[in-house]
Amino acid sequence: MTLIAEDLLSVLLDEQTGKPIVDSTKLPRVLAGAVILELAMNGAVQIGEKDRVVVAGPAPADPLLARGYDIVKSAKSPLKPQKIIEKLQKKLDKEVAARLVQQGFVVEQQDKMLGLFPTTAWPAKDSSRRNAVLQWIGSAVVDGTTPLPGTSAVIALVSAIDAIPKVLPGADKKSAKQRAKEIAEGDWASEAVRKAVRDVNAAVMAAVMVPVIVSTTSS
């Protein structure tokens, strides 16, 4: 099974260096948003009253989706998407990257910054998946074709962290960002899923801002 989070990470890693093209605050949180959105698209959860996420169907078989599902199911009271993102995001980039390693699309490289601080990168081993996702995104954002729901979800999430220009560096920045926003708000899914897209994107944007605000306040 191909997850939205896997497709998302594949285009948020630099093909040569294997390093993320977005900062460490955004990456795990947008991947967590991808898990929640996929659960909503599969009908496992839905966003109901007061923008709270509730169980709506059986648990998914995939272990990563199941972990997100369990956070929703085990909560004493329904949680908002941002709270779930914070619970799910810890080391999620490494977990999703490990899946790409297992599938043969990237390799893991360990190093030390300045000889002291451990770093991890995931350069491409087989670029076929990454290139396919980029082609789908470019076709929709640049050429104006109608994307499939999975691609629309990836575009919506990339747009939420303002990374469309980084994913499509050759495209006109202003028009690409506008087209991505239109896709995110489009009619490619049911109203319940469109609500999930809106709420998850808002939660991702809020989640990536909290650490920045805390860091700025404490400095």
Side-chain angles (χ1 to χ4, degrees):
M1 177 182 179
T2 298
L3 297 188
I4 292 170
E6 294 170 356
D7 284 342
L8 180 60
L9 182 60
S10 71
V11 299
L12 293 180
L13 292 175
D14 182 273
E15 185 175 16
Q16 301 300 322
T17 68
K19 295 180 180 180
I21 61 174
V22 296
D23 65 47
S24 59
T25 298
K26 293 179 179 179
L27 185 59
R29 289 172 172 84
V30 76
L31 293 173
V35 171
I36 300 170
L37 185 52
E38 184 144 7
L39 288 170
M41 291 172 67
N42 291 344
V45 305
Q46 66 181 21
I47 300 180
E49 294 181 1
K50 298 182 180 179
D51 299 332
R52 306 281 174 163
V53 185
V54 296
V55 165
D62 184 275
L64 179 54
L65 295 181
R67 185 150 65 85
Y69 181 91
D70 288 343
I71 291 173
V72 176
K73 187 176 181 179
S74 63
K76 292 182 179 179
S77 59
L79 302 172
K80 287 190 174 184
Q82 186 178 346
K83 190 70 174 179
I84 300 170
I85 286 170
E86 288 304 319
K87 286 178 174 289
L88 186 59
Q89 62 88 23
K90 188 175 181 181
K91 296 183 180 180
L92 187 58
D93 50 343
K94 292 179 175 58
E95 184 175 347
V96 178
R99 294 171 67 113
L100 295 180
V101 171
Q102 187 177 22
Q103 294 162 16
F105 292 112
V106 301
V107 295
E108 181 174 300
Q109 291 184 348
Q110 302 284 347
D111 201 354
K112 287 189 176 181
M113 185 183 299
L114 304 176
L116 297 172
F117 307 105
T119 62
T120 307
W122 299 276
K125 179 181 180 181
D126 175 357
S127 298
S128 59
R129 178 175 185 169
R130 179 179 185 274
N131 291 342
V133 178
L134 285 174
Q135 184 176 4
W136 299 334
I137 295 172
S139 178
V141 172
V142 178
D143 300 330
T145 61
T146 301
L148 293 173
T151 302
S152 296
V154 172
I155 292 170
L157 291 158
V158 173
S159 179
I161 55 171
D162 196 27
I164 287 291
K166 293 183 178 182
V167 170
L168 298 175
D172 178 78
K173 183 176 179 179
K174 184 177 180 180
S175 61
K177 290 172 70 171
Q178 179 58 38
R179 171 61 178 156
K181 185 178 179 181
E182 290 171 358
I183 291 170
E185 297 172 350
D187 58 358
W188 52 274
S190 67
E191 178 53 37
V193 172
R194 288 201 296 273
K195 176 173 173 51
V197 172
R198 292 193 297 269
D199 289 359
V200 167
N201 280 6
V204 168
M205 288 185 279
V208 301
M209 286 304 298
V210 170
V212 174
I213 293 170
V214 171
S215 176
T216 303
T217 303
S218 60
S219 61

